Amino acid sequence: MLTVSELARVSETTPDTVRYYTRMGLLQPERNESNGYRLYQQTDAGRLSFISQAKKLGFTLAEINEVLGHAAHGQSPCPMVREILQRRISENRKALESMILLQERMEQALLQWHDMPDGTPDGHSVCHLIESFSKEFE
Amino acid sequence: MLTVSELARVSETTPDTVRYYTRMGLLQPERNESNGYRLYQQTDAGRLSFISQAKKLGFTLAEINEVLGHAAHGQSPCPMVREILQRRISENRKALESMILLQERMEQALLQWHDMPDGTPDGHSVCHLIESFSKEFE
DNA sequence: TCGACGATGACGTCGCGTCAAGGTAA
DNA sequence: ATTACCTTGACGCGACGTCATCGTCG
């Protein structure tokens, strides 16, 4: 039986994270009745490593929790796992595209600003760099 | 003088967002003393459009607030604006790289799983798809 | 006795969205 | 009287991190 920080150590994570996963229901330790300490089994280390692998594949904790729940009922979680990954891939593709657009906008702005002077704010303008750049889109 | 939703309409945003920006100090409306309603000036529409342009350039609301603060003191916010954008560009580059790595991991996993059957969970395994994939890294 | 560990609970991150309970305007 | 608007305040998101205050272990 392992305490929070023992489990954290063998799993290369932090006690705070172990407590957080426990709060979210991903780990269900027993309790030492005399002092209330959480007590984990050796198999929880495997569970934790499963969790971090799934996170590396882009799964959210809520999704991992579902997967673990299905597995605990003896049902194969594999079809669900495939679906989640499909969904995450298309979501991520969209997010990537908009981040790339942002990056291009930012780099283009810096380039444009290269030869522009700084200005002093007046009633009409806050920062002409940003304002001039915004007119590109109109 | 404009109410929240009037300002929201001319600025193509929502009343909730206007109230949020106000709460964050980005807008400082007067108040109608008789009913407490927020009252914005026409120039706040320009301020709001400045805010959304800056957001499109990757600025956070906190940063925009700083920029507006400098401008209000008559100081040129332009040098700060250049620095922030530089910083944001390198941060974004790192984020992009890790998202691309994630995307590659996810796509590789789906490919590998294509010819693998679903499994039933036992004591040693939750979902062999995820577990088999994790072994790639060891 | 002391320092490292444990517990719970609450609050911070970011940019809003949403909900409730009520007052106001036309 | 109805409906659309306004107010404040609180809570939700995701995945923890951190802090306070306290009890426990070796």
Side-chain angles (χ1 to χ4, degrees), chain A residues 99-113, chain B residues 57-59 63 81-97:
Chain A
M99 285 187 66
I100 288 171
L101 284 178
L102 171 61
Q103 189 76 345
E104 288 171 355
R105 270 204 308 279
M106 292 195 294
E107 286 172 349
Q108 205 193 331
L110 257 199
L111 270 181
Q112 271 185 42
W113 295 351
Chain B
L57 278 174
F59 284 59
E63 288 164 345
V81 163
R82 294 180 203 267
E83 283 169 30
I84 293 174
L85 198 61
Q86 279 280 18
R87 190 156 21 96
R88 194 64 7 99
I89 285 175
S90 8
E91 289 171 9
N92 203 46
R93 201 186 327 271
K94 283 186 192 167
L96 265 176
E97 282 166 10

Side-chain angles (χ1 to χ4, degrees), chain A residues 3-5 9 19 31 36-38:
Chain A
T3 67
V4 250
S5 31
R9 211 170 306 135
R19 289 194 194 94
R31 294 289 187 145
Y37 284 19
R38 298 168 177 87

Side-chain angles (χ1 to χ4, degrees), chain B residues 3-5 9 19 31 36-38:
Chain B
T3 66
V4 248
S5 32
R9 213 170 304 135
R19 291 195 193 93
R31 293 292 186 143
Y37 285 18
R38 297 167 177 86

Side-chain angles (χ1 to χ4, degrees), chain B:
Chain B
M1 301 294 257
L2 308 167
T3 66
V4 248
S5 32
E6 284 165 356
L7 178 58
R9 213 170 304 135
V10 304
S11 302
E12 294 175 332
T13 179
T14 70
D16 276 326
T17 300
V18 170
R19 291 195 193 93
Y20 180 64
Y21 288 177
T22 305
R23 222 162 57 224
M24 296 298 102
L26 296 163
L27 296 169
Q28 282 133 318
E30 299 174 26
R31 293 292 186 143
N32 179 330
E33 293 192 2
S34 70
N35 57 21
Y37 285 18
R38 297 167 177 86
L39 289 177
Y40 299 89
Q41 317 229 334
Q42 304 291 342
T43 56
D44 284 326
R47 207 174 163 86
L48 242 183
S49 101
F50 177 82
I51 295 171
S52 28
Q53 296 304 336
K55 273 177 65 67
K56 284 184 190 157
L57 278 174
F59 284 59
T60 67
L61 290 183
E63 288 164 345
I64 298 169
N65 214 354
E66 271 191 87
V67 170
L68 290 170
H70 266 234
H73 285 301
Q75 302 168 35
S76 174
C78 298
M80 183 193 314
V81 163
R82 294 180 203 267
E83 283 169 30
I84 293 174
L85 198 61
Q86 279 280 18
R87 190 156 21 96
R88 194 64 7 99
I89 285 175
S90 8
E91 289 171 9
N92 203 46
R93 201 186 327 271
K94 283 186 192 167
L96 265 176
E97 282 166 10
S98 65
M99 285 186 65
I100 288 171
L101 284 179
L102 171 61
Q103 188 77 345
E104 287 170 356
R105 270 205 307 280
M106 292 194 293
E107 286 172 349
Q108 205 192 332
L110 258 199
L111 270 181
Q112 271 186 42
W113 294 352
H114 189 260
D115 295 322
M116 292 171 64
D118 294 345
T120 315
D122 57 22
H124 306 300
S125 167
V126 177
C127 169
H128 69 112
L129 298 178
I130 289 180
E131 284 146 0
S132 73
F133 186 73
S134 76
K135 288 185 183 144
E136 298 292 311
F137 298 121
E138 292 170 9

